[in-house]
Every structure is written in C-alpha cells, then in structure tokens.
Amino acid sequence: MTKQLFSAKFRAHTNIALIKYWGKRNKELFLPVTNSLSLTLDAFYTDTEVEFDTSLTSDVFYLDGVLQNDFHTAKVSRFLDLFRKEANRPNLFATVRSINHVPTAAGLASSASAFAALAGACNLALDLAIDTRTLSTFARQGSGSASRSLLGGFVEWHKGQGDDSASSYAEAFDDADWDLAMVFVIINRQAKKVDSRLGMEHTNETSPFYELWPREVAKDLEKIKPAIKAHDIDTVGTIAEHNAMKMHAMTIAANPSFTYWEPGSIEAMQIVRQLREEGISAYLTMDAGPNVKVLCRASEAERVKAAFVSRFGEEQIVIAKPGPNAYPLDKE
Ligand code: DP6
C-alpha cells in the first residue's frame, strides 16, 4: 500500500501570565484551581511541523533539529493521542519538527508556545476543523499555559467546572493594541531546577498560604480586567506585580521551602523600583525561573531596557511587544 502523508506547520507565540496559574485540581486533564490571565508576546515563538505518515510505526520528535529521546517523545506522543482519537485513527503516527525561536542567549524555551503550535499543526494536518476554543482545551493538556498561546493579546483561561474538560478553555480578553511592552531581563540561561509542574504541585500540597490563593486570584482578576480595558498601565502593573509576589511567597512557605529567585532577580527588582521612583511605569512579574519580566509602555521600553543593560549586559535584555494569534505557516 502506498503511504499517505498529512502534514501542516504552525507558529505560536509565548505568553506571560499577569494573573498566574499555579496549581491543578485535576492533574490528568490539566484542570487548574483558578482562572488566569496572560499577555501573548511577539519576541518568542515556536514553529512546529507535524507530518502524519501511514508508514510509521511510532512517533518521531525533533527539537531544534535534534532527535529527542524516549522520555521527551513520549510526552509528545501522549499529546498526539488526543488528535489521533479525534480523527479516529489510533495507529497514525507522526514526525514532529519543532523549532524554538528565542533571541540569542535568551534560553527561554517555552512549553506554552510549543504545545500551542503543535495543537494548531495537528488540527490542520488532520483536517479536524476544531474551533479555537476547543483547540485550547487540547493545548491545555500538553501544558496548562499553552491553552493561552493560541490567542494574541490579553487572554483569559477559564478554570471551568468540575472534571469537565470542555469548560476549561482560553478566550481573548483584549487585543493589547495600546502603548505596551514587556522587557525581559535574562538572569540565568540554565534549565530551571524545579520545573513549574513540580513546583506548583509541591506548593499546592505543602504551602499553608495556598488556601488563600484562589481568593486572591479572584480579587486580582476582578480588579485587573477593567484596568486592562481602560488601558491603565499603572493599575494593571500594580496588580500583576502583587499577584506574582503572592505566588512566589507561597513557594517560600512550602515545606521544604524553595524559591525561583536568584540574587540577580532581586537586583533586577530593585532596578524596577528605582525606575518607578523616577516616574517610569515599570512593573515586574516572574514565573518558574529567575528571569524578571517588566511590563511598561512601549514608548518607554528603550529607557527601561537601558536601566538594566549596565548591570546585566545588552544581550540579556529583550524588548517584546504584544503578539498575535497562533497561525499556519507554509511548509518548506
Ligand atoms: C508560573 O503551564 O508550565 O508560568 O501545566 O504543568 O505544564 P504545566 O505548567 P505550566 O505552568 C506555568 C506556570 C507559570 C504561570 C502561568 O503561566 O500562568
């Protein structure tokens, strides 16, 4: 029998949460404890090509041109299973080629853009015509934050109800087409010591402050949404910074305690506060790693960048602007 190929290529951009996702209520389905809200950014993205091939007997996965081991391939295979099931083709295996585009030296590979790009590519290759809302529930099952990377601008991921996977989807909140940027301060390029999946689980299980988290997130969301609509960067930034600090405070209170902060992170925080004293609207957020991301006006981003360059070096600072929806690419 002649082999059949079904292929497609997709690009998705990374996103940074202003109101964080930090904990699952259902680990198998990646159902979160709370809603979260992010900004998709143009500077970091993943291009993924998937080729389903009737002659293959297992999946093959290349990341940045390097063939990946069984452990990494198994994660991709589990994700492809969702689409094989949807297409009713349980034995249709694929070659996945994924390239992470991050500015030199950034070292910010992102599971969010990776699984969003793969979801988009699978949907197209298999001609499934899954709508974006439903596709976000698929992307979510690769990595929770990937649900938000299918969409551009500000995106809200709804926690949904009970164990109902379909109710936990991402939705565009605001196009972010205003004077906005995020300056990335790259503190350390090494892989993180405690990845986000383990970190959120450990926090959820052992931090006495975790019980406060859902209520804090609900309050922060209620306040940040009108501020986003009003393009009020100072209110948006103040709430986002406080939300990130509450998340990181929970990790310090976990047992055993841990933190993603490094000395350089704290130096970067001091620079952010200094900028505010100088009248610049600059607010920080941090995720499961030491890098500091600074929300500011696009029109002041160069000034913000300059404040970090003398301490961290030109190549460690990247200015990102709001990014677009994930979209299909022509195959090579
Ligand atoms: C701190 O989406 O990477 O960036 O769902 O286990 O793959 P898994 O976790 P992941 O966690 C992201 C955590 C965060 C906050 C956020 O992006 O909302």
Side-chain angles (χ1 to χ4, degrees), residues 17 20-22 24 30 111 143-145 148 196-197 200 287:
K20 306 292 183 192
Y21 147 56
W22 198 244
K24 299 178 181 67
F30 290 71
S111 59
S143 189
S145 52
R148 299 184 310 238
S196 40
R197 196 160 302 174
M200 70 174 76
D287 295 291

Side-chain angles (χ1 to χ4, degrees), residues 14 44 46 63-64 100-102 106-114 192:
T14 198
F44 309 96
T46 304
L63 180 58
D64 294 330
N100 280 320
H101 293 268
V102 292
L108 281 174
S110 154
S111 59
S113 54
K192 36 200 172 186

